[in-house]
Amino acid sequence: MPLTLILSRAVSAIVTLLGVMVIVFVLVRVVPGDPVAMMIAPGATEADIAALRAHYGLDLPLYRQFGVWFGQVLHGNFGTSISLKQNVLTIILERLPATIELALFALALAVAWGTFIALLSTAWRDTWVERCIDGFNSIMLAVPDFIWGLTFVLVFGVLIPLFPISGRSDPSLNQNLTTQFFIIEGLLRGRLGFIWDVLKHMIMPALTMSLPLAAVIGRVLKNTLMDVMVQDYIVLARIKGLSPSRILLQEALRNAAVPALALTGVQFTFLIGGTVITERIFSYPGIGNLAVDAVINRDLPLIQGLVITFGTLFIAVNMTIDAMTAWLNPRLRHA
Amino acid sequence: MSPVIDIRGLSAASQAGPVLRDVSLQVMQGEAMALVGESGAGKSTIAKAVLGILPAAIRVTAGGIFFAGTNLLSLPERQMRELLGVRIALIPQDPQTSLNPSRRIGDQLTDGLRLRAGLNRKDAWARALALLGDVHIRDPELVLTRYPHELSGGMRQRVLIAQAFSLKPDVIIADEPTTALDVTVQKQVLRLIRNLQRDHGTALLFVSHDLGVVAQICDRITVLYGGKVLEQGSTAEVLRNPAHAYTRALLAANPRYDQPERNLKPVPEDLIAELRRENGG
Amino acid sequence: MPRDLRIVLGGGFILVLLIAALFSPWLAPFDPLEQDLLIATAPPMQEPGHLLGTDSLGRDVLSRLIYASRIALTVAFAASLIACLIGTLLGLAAGYLGGWCDMIVSRLIDIWMAFPPVLLSILLVAVLGSGLHSVIVAIAVIDWTRFARVVRAETQQQARLEYAEAATALGMGRGAILFREILPNVLPVILVLLSLEMGIAVIVEAILSYVGLSVSTDTPTWGGMIAEGRQIVHQAWWVLVFPLATLFMTVLAFNQLGDGLRQWLDPMLKR
């Protein structure tokens, strides 16, 4: 039964992705500014411009351009970047690991922090501690990534310079690597100093992205925990003489986590969207930063490639969450 | 012989008014005492007071609940927790909601054995197997690995009964344990509780609204109405020669299979009015 | 915080901004575009009259801050009103008419929301070209879904209530019912969303000008100032701090206003 559910979700997601691709394709083609004009050297002739246009297939009618491009995409050919003069797929794959590591790190931070304040707030309910945490949480929810990021730049970059505020790692340390997955490869190779350096660079942007998500998790999980804590089996656990901390962690948390996961699922995808501006603020070399540059330069092939990439990431995240929800709920697992 | 549970002059009240009025009852060692009354009579309140889980809305205004010489009502929470599960246990009303849906039966059953009796996982699991045998569950090894939603209501209640007896408590509170079960299963479960109770010599406080049910397994009966004890005595006495008109009316209200032509008689209106007046409104 | 305090504080701050925006030429001590390289990156209070210091081109930070409120508020009001209009109309239609109209609108909303808002806004502005009008259109086009979803749900609920049926029985046309009976009851929710939306619009505009895709770089914007401040954060922290703080307070003010309105209108919503 879960299999059919997953399949139908996949189909729905792909349809959405296609819709998005079409929209973006049309949008960037409607660009008033002429991308080709940005690439030519002064003094080029009409013939040169026409040739360049033909090379990029920009002289064909719109629907045929889409057909051509779609066919290419299915073959894995994402075209060549206009601004960077390289194969689009290569560029994206080069920068993708940095964003993935950053997003995962931010996710881990958000889950850890969110769960912690939810548990704390439940354990100390009806006290000033709970009110304090609620207030703090509201602030965290209201403030967008943009402001957090720049505040961190100020506080930890200038005021109390603890962490670097740009880049991904010290150039002297990141030599001789085969992949761009710095953390994973660093772990495999045992280069602890390198890992520490990468983490130091990642902590600020990751923290920026994690705070709004942590606030959402904190609030949602607390609500589900409060719902669970009045259930009969919790009362029985108390009558069995189990300690309050054991009840919270062993009995309540696992039942509260599942609905909380379902409710926060959408927020995870916002995290990926958040990489765009956060990477920009911290000059972090991932696909978010790349996307901003691509748009400023009106680099059509690159923009399209990135749209597909982000769309695929969303689908992957959504499907992972669906799978996790199904797996965690024993009732669904055995259905 | 001293009572295991000694409730003396217990009075409690909520915002809406008095909930318990000067209730006194004793459960002796090895004895099964029934606490009978209609909804709202206060029997659940007494049970919750003993277990220390009274809702915040209800306050005790007088009296005490004595267990092994200590007044449970004035016991600090930590010490109360020591007693709960080990010396005082509960068979809850609803087997559907009283088991954690996300934990396996075995894990929930061995909680007390591992954490309070100090058994290691293997020994606890073996002990749990034996316990499931005591409550007549087939394929106990399989059941231990299952989740609550995979068992029937009757099986779940048996697990909860096994859980209550697992640490050999001095007294067990049974809060309407058969109300949520099919009629066909009720009798078996009742018999099970009675046999286990007699075998272990555990005292039992059996809360119910059904005189017919408690008559089968309890030694003594306390009848409660509007928070007040109306009648108390051995089961035989109370059923054959009920002293109070209300008890008589309760008995008459029970349908009898051997006299189907006899109509169900509700408790007479004027009796209720008189009882209400006695209780002050 | 009690709802009245929220409304007063939030609304009060917005009012201050409004005054700053309307009366900028009188309130600002200096011309925001006037450069004076001799006093570039001067700390606050160091140069006479420059209370908040100067930036890398010697322009007065305070004056630029005041003038930038014009952009922020223009975008806030215009973009959110347009988004509100689009979203409300579509939401009303979908919620009241149901059927395939609802199906189309819901699908549209789903596809729209599949896109990360930041990416989409940057994309749209790149497509539409930089300038105030494109920023406003971009924000409105992206965020109408926020209104549509809520209005649709609220309309569906309202349409089921008795007074709507009563109106039908009285022979009122569908359009009349929609606009004269249902809309007034959906209005409180819209108002709350509007306030929150303005806060979001201000942020998006700031992000766009941070990245350089908003108005021309001469016109002072908080985002632009922040971008510059980020570049020289080690040398001149004040160029980043003051616009950032103002932006934060503005967003907070709109949020508090929205929350206060929601609390105030809550008993009216629960019918």
Side-chain angles (χ1 to χ4, degrees), chain B residues 110 112-125 127:
Chain B
T110 54
L113 294 167
R114 278 178 295 129
L115 295 167
R116 312 300 295 280
L119 294 178
N120 67 36
R121 211 182 133 74
K122 220 173 60 151
D123 292 337
W125 214 260
R127 186 95 188 83

Side-chain angles (χ1 to χ4, degrees), chain C residues 17 23 34 45 69 142 167 240:
Chain C
L17 280 182
F23 299 107
E34 185 190 334
M45 309 275 228
S69 64
I142 294 165
L240 175 57

Side-chain angles (χ1 to χ4, degrees), chain A residues 219, chain C residues 3 6-7 146 150 188-189 191-193 195-196 254-270:
Chain A
R219 174 179 291 190
Chain C
R3 57 149 202 245
R6 284 200 158 121
I7 297 181
R146 190 182 304 268
V150 176
V189 182
L191 223 63
V192 173
L193 277 179
S195 180
L196 296 174
F254 276 121
N255 273 0
Q256 290 303 304
L257 186 61
D259 277 348
L261 282 174
R262 184 189 288 143
Q263 280 179 303
W264 183 50
L265 295 165
D266 204 27
M268 291 178 13
L269 289 177
K270 287 198 169 75

Side-chain angles (χ1 to χ4, degrees), chain A residues 59-134:
Chain A
D59 53 344
L60 297 169
L62 212 61
Y63 67 90
R64 285 195 60 185
Q65 286 190 40
F66 186 76
V68 166
W69 174 68
F70 196 67
Q72 288 176 331
V73 165
L74 288 180
H75 282 100
N77 177 8
F78 283 59
T80 313
S81 159
I82 296 177
S83 60
L84 296 175
K85 309 278 193 293
Q86 286 176 292
N87 183 294
V88 165
L89 195 58
T90 315
I91 302 173
I92 293 181
L93 288 180
E94 207 174 57
R95 310 257 233 156
L96 191 56
T99 302
I100 291 181
E101 284 192 345
L102 184 64
L104 288 177
F105 190 28
L107 184 63
L109 285 175
V111 170
W113 181 243
T115 309
F116 177 64
I117 58 176
L119 286 171
L120 207 64
S121 170
T122 307
W124 295 97
R125 55 190 175 287
D126 299 326
T127 66
W128 61 270
V129 176
E130 187 199 9
R131 274 193 290 273
C132 221
I133 293 181
D134 272 351

Side-chain angles (χ1 to χ4, degrees), chain C residues 111-174:
Chain C
I111 294 183
W112 225 267
M113 299 197 77
F115 233 114
V118 175
L119 195 59
L120 188 54
S121 62
I122 293 179
L123 200 63
L124 273 173
V125 170
V127 165
L128 300 166
S130 41
L132 204 58
H133 59 281
S134 33
V135 173
I136 293 174
V137 169
I139 296 175
V141 164
I142 294 165
D143 243 7
W144 65 268
T145 55
R146 190 182 304 268
F147 286 92
R149 272 189 147 186
V150 176
V151 169
R152 173 178 165 271
E154 193 67 24
T155 308
Q156 279 178 335
Q157 228 184 10
Q158 292 290 332
R160 288 200 200 107
L161 291 181
E162 287 169 15
Y163 73 89
E165 288 177 15
T168 318
L170 286 173
M172 285 177 81
R174 284 177 114 184

Side-chain angles (χ1 to χ4, degrees), chain A residues 190-211:
Chain A
R191 285 159 67 163
L192 296 169
F194 173 55
I195 292 181
W196 179 234
D197 177 57
V198 173
L199 281 175
K200 268 201 299 181
H201 279 89
M202 275 209 298
I203 183 100
M204 291 283 91
L207 203 61
T208 305
M209 296 198 307
S210 73
L211 285 177

